[in-house]
Amino acid sequence: METRTKVWLTEDGKHIIGAGKVNLLKAIDEERSLSKACKKLGMSYKHAWLILKKMNERGDQEVVYTVRGGKGQGTFLTEYGKQLIDEYEASRTYIDETVGDDTSWENIAFKLSARNKLIGRVVEVEKGDIVSKVKIEVDPAILTSIVTAEAVDRLDVKEGDELFAIIKSTEVMLARPSRASPENEDD
C-alpha cells in the first residue's frame, strides 16, 4: 500500500492549477504552440483554450501570450505562467518528500484519538512558502507535523520550543503550552 496526495494551487478559494494544467503549460512552453501542445497531450484545442481562459480569469493574469506572424510566432508562457509551474512543482516536491519521509510515519504505535496531547520539543523546522514541516521529539519518537507556514509564524515555532503534539486520526496539530503563573503552580 502507498500514500498518495494531490496538490493544487488556489487563490481566494478558486482552483488555479493542478497537475493537468501544469502539464498543459509545460507542453506549451516546450512546443511554443498551443495546437502542437494539444497534439502532444492528446487534448482538443478547444478544451485547452477553455482551460487557459479559466486560469486567466481565476488568477486575474494571463498565463500565455501569442505572437502572430514572422519568425518569432507562437504561444509562450508569461512570467505568471512560469511562476505557477515553479510554485506547483515546489509544493509537489515538498509534499512528496514529506509523505515519503520515513520519520513522518515513525513510531505510530499510539492509540489515536482526539484526546492525545503529547508534550515535546521542536528539533527541526523546515519552513516553506505554503506549508512547513515541524519535527517534534516526543521521547522516544520524532513526530512530524505538516502545517501551514502561516501557522508556524502565528505560533512563532522555533527549534528548541516546547509544544504540544495533538494527535488526531488524520493529522498532528501543534499548540503552545500555557505558561503557569506563580499562583497556579500548585494546581
Side-chain angles (χ1 to χ4, degrees):
M1 194 178 307
E2 71 180 49
T3 303
R4 300 195 58 172
T5 61
K6 283 189 174 185
V7 173
W8 58 92
L9 303 179
T10 63
E11 190 165 313
D12 297 326
K14 298 175 187 169
H15 179 254
I16 303 291
I17 195 164
K21 292 175 183 172
V22 167
N23 289 338
L24 175 60
L25 291 183
K26 283 180 166 183
I28 290 169
D29 195 38
E30 291 169 8
E31 300 295 328
R32 308 282 196 225
S33 161
L34 180 56
S35 60
K36 287 180 183 176
C38 291
K39 286 178 187 168
K40 181 176 186 173
L41 297 174
M43 178 185 294
S44 79
Y45 183 90
K46 183 176 181 177
H47 181 68
W49 185 85
L50 290 172
I51 288 172
L52 294 173
K53 181 180 178 208
K54 191 175 279 190
M55 287 176 69
N56 291 340
E57 290 168 358
R58 288 185 175 174
D60 291 328
Q61 294 184 52
E62 300 287 318
V63 292
V64 297
Y65 66 95
T66 302
V67 175
R68 301 192 194 289
K71 276 188 167 182
Q73 72 180 357
T75 302
F76 306 92
L77 296 184
T78 63
E79 285 305 312
Y80 177 65
K82 292 174 185 176
Q83 178 187 357
L84 285 174
I85 291 172
D86 291 345
E87 285 182 33
Y88 174 86
E89 288 182 338
S91 298
R92 175 81 260 167
T93 298
Y94 184 80
I95 296 298
D96 287 345
E97 288 173 358
T98 300
V99 171
D101 182 353
D102 291 338
T103 63
S104 68
W105 303 104
E106 178 175 288
N107 298 314
I108 305 297
F110 304 110
K111 283 189 174 181
L112 298 179
S113 77
R115 299 189 193 286
N116 286 336
K117 181 168 72 170
L118 308 169
I119 192 82
R121 186 154 317 278
V122 176
V123 294
E124 184 178 350
V125 178
E126 290 181 35
K127 192 165 180 203
D129 293 333
I130 299 167
V131 294
S132 296
K133 185 188 326 186
V134 179
K135 292 186 179 184
I136 308 154
E137 183 177 23
V138 179
D139 195 39
I142 302 285
L143 301 176
T144 301
S145 178
I146 308 299
V147 295
T148 64
E150 179 184 340
V152 169
D153 288 340
R154 194 172 55 249
L155 290 170
D156 190 28
V157 177
K158 298 179 289 303
E159 286 184 24
D161 284 353
E162 190 174 80
L163 294 178
F164 284 113
I166 303 165
I167 312 292
K168 291 176 49 175
S169 61
T170 58
E171 59 196 61
V172 176
M173 300 184 321
L174 301 177
R176 269 216 186 276
S178 61
R179 308 265 187 250
S181 59
E183 63 271 7
N184 293 336
E185 285 184 349
D186 295 330
D187 291 346

